[in-house]
Amino acid sequence: MLPCQQNGLKLGMGPVNETVVAEFILEGFSGLDQRLQLFLSRLLLLIYLATVMGNTTIIFLVCVDQRLQTPMYFFISNLAFLEIWFTSSTTIKLLVVLSSGKRTISLSSCFAQSYFYFALGFTEFALLVVMSFDRYVAICQPLHYAAVMKRQLCTHLVVAAWVTGFTLFSYRMVLLSELTFCGPNKIHHFFCDNSPLFKLSCSDASLLWKADFIFILFAVLSSLCLVLVSYMCIFHCILHMPAASGRKNAFAACSSHLTNLAIAYGSCIVLYAWPSEDVTLETNTTVALLNTVLYPFLNPFIYSLRSQTVKLALNEAIGRAKV
């Protein structure tokens, strides 16, 4: 692409149009051998299909099995639905890049990918907060659980999480559309992440840098604080339980959610909390790949497939399908 050509106003004439970038080139994993890229694409395809099938299975079981129609599994099914879209927002394009070598992506597709990645990411944090509240009520207020966690409240909490996530990050589409890209068009990543995308702009991206810093910091810290408050109350209740068996069951009820929290917040801190100069490009790409591909794949195993109730429901569904 040609560099920007910005000429001043001429007498009786308007400004000369500048040459702008029409598409970007995703450079992620371009250094790998062609055969290794093909092998990686096949591996990622298998993981992606397993992710979609596993999370879809969870949603299906929660919908059809009466034993799983509880607030906890209602939230888990919504998280499973989110994970399908979250991994699809980056993995599908990555599969095309690795399998066909077509690395170009249009500006509009790049902006849309960036928006959905961050909007879905914040929605996940919001759902994790809702699930922390559910665990708090279940463990600290067990006698009031059914009265508090009614279907209507659960639905409102989930809708609020989705609406907040997509509304809060709507500024990205507005500010991204105002940027001008007219120089290098190679994004050194496998998707349109914020830092490698903003660095290519030949216009002032400082407002978007500041907005991203504020909103991402707000999303991470606010949700993390709410989660920590919930779990401080939960651990206080567990430690004051008289029976050891009760404490063991309570910890077991929280273990899956705590695992999910550790992965989600850990990857986000590595990707966006550390200064960019302290994190190498290879580290950033690897962590992003784990976050967008492996984490959604593990979600059904972390939350549901370890549950005896889910296993029983799955076995019964398979048995009915064979009849």
Side-chain angles (χ1 to χ4, degrees):
M1 294 292 174
L2 294 174
C4 252
Q5 300 172 346
Q6 296 179 331
N7 297 332
L9 291 175
K10 295 182 179 180
L11 186 61
M13 297 179 61
V16 177
N17 290 333
E18 58 185 14
T19 303
V20 296
V21 171
E23 59 187 15
F24 295 112
I25 299 175
L26 298 173
E27 288 285 286
F29 303 108
S30 59
L32 297 179
D33 180 78
Q34 186 63 40
R35 289 177 296 180
L36 191 56
Q37 290 188 36
L38 186 59
F39 169 77
L40 183 59
S41 69
R42 292 173 177 173
L43 177 62
L44 291 178
L45 178 60
L46 291 176
I47 295 176
Y48 175 72
L49 293 176
T51 300
V52 173
M53 291 179 60
N55 285 287
T56 302
T57 300
I58 297 303
I59 298 171
F60 171 76
L61 292 176
V62 171
C63 290
V64 302
D65 197 289
Q66 190 69 29
R67 291 164 296 186
L68 299 180
Q69 293 179 3
T70 63
M72 180 181 71
Y73 284 106
F74 174 69
F75 296 137
I76 290 175
S77 65
N78 274 273
L79 185 64
F81 179 73
L82 182 144
E83 295 294 2
I84 293 174
W85 289 104
F86 182 69
T87 189
S88 297
S89 67
T90 57
T91 305
I92 293 177
K93 182 59 181 178
L94 178 57
L95 289 172
V96 173
V97 167
L98 293 174
S99 59
S100 67
K102 186 180 179 181
R103 294 182 172 273
T104 58
I105 182 171
S106 66
L107 264 70
S108 58
S109 297
C110 187
F111 294 166
Q113 185 187 62
S114 179
Y115 168 69
F116 281 109
Y117 172 79
F118 283 97
L120 289 167
F122 179 77
T123 303
E124 179 168 349
F125 283 141
L127 285 176
L128 291 176
V129 171
V130 170
M131 296 171 76
S132 299
F133 174 71
D134 173 72
R135 292 299 84 203
Y136 161 75
V137 178
I139 293 174
C140 299
Q141 305 289 334
L143 299 179
H144 302 285
Y145 183 76
V148 174
M149 302 304 294
K150 293 181 179 179
R151 183 74 177 187
Q152 185 178 17
L153 176 62
C154 295
T155 303
H156 287 167
L157 289 173
V158 168
V159 171
W162 282 89
V163 171
T164 302
F166 279 82
T167 302
L168 190 64
F169 280 88
S170 59
Y171 74 91
R172 292 183 65 86
M173 294 299 288
V174 177
L175 296 182
L176 279 173
S177 64
E178 295 179 353
L179 294 182
T180 303
F181 298 88
C182 51
N185 66 335
K186 293 182 179 180
I187 297 178
H188 297 289
H189 213 312
F190 64 86
F191 75 101
C192 296
D193 202 359
N194 57 356
S195 179
L197 177 61
F198 298 167
K199 289 178 180 178
L200 296 180
S201 175
C202 55
S203 57
D204 185 13
S206 59
L207 179 59
L208 196 46
W209 278 107
K210 294 175 183 178
D212 252 25
F213 175 78
I214 292 172
F215 279 97
I216 293 176
L217 189 66
F218 169 77
V220 175
L221 292 184
S222 61
S223 60
L224 183 58
C225 286
L226 292 173
V227 167
L228 290 176
V229 169
S230 296
Y231 270 96
M232 286 174 63
C233 297
I234 290 172
F235 290 145
H236 181 267
C237 292
I238 291 176
L239 294 176
H240 285 80
M241 288 180 178
S245 59
R247 291 194 295 271
K248 182 179 179 180
N249 291 335
F251 274 118
C254 299
S255 61
S256 295
H257 189 234
L258 287 171
T259 302
N260 207 342
L261 288 170
I263 297 174
Y265 283 99
S267 60
C268 184
I269 289 172
V270 172
L271 289 172
Y272 303 108
W274 296 107
S276 57
E277 61 270 14
D278 293 341
V279 181
T280 63
L281 179 62
E282 291 75 13
T283 300
N284 188 286
T285 303
T286 302
V287 175
L289 188 66
L290 296 176
N291 185 44
T292 58
V293 177
L294 188 60
Y295 172 49
F297 167 74
L298 294 176
N299 181 65
F301 300 97
I302 293 174
Y303 268 111
S304 304
L305 298 182
R306 297 192 311 173
S307 168
Q308 292 300 323
T309 306
V310 174
K311 289 180 180 179
L312 182 60
L314 180 60
N315 290 333
E316 291 181 359
I318 293 174
R320 289 194 296 268
K322 291 181 178 180
V323 174

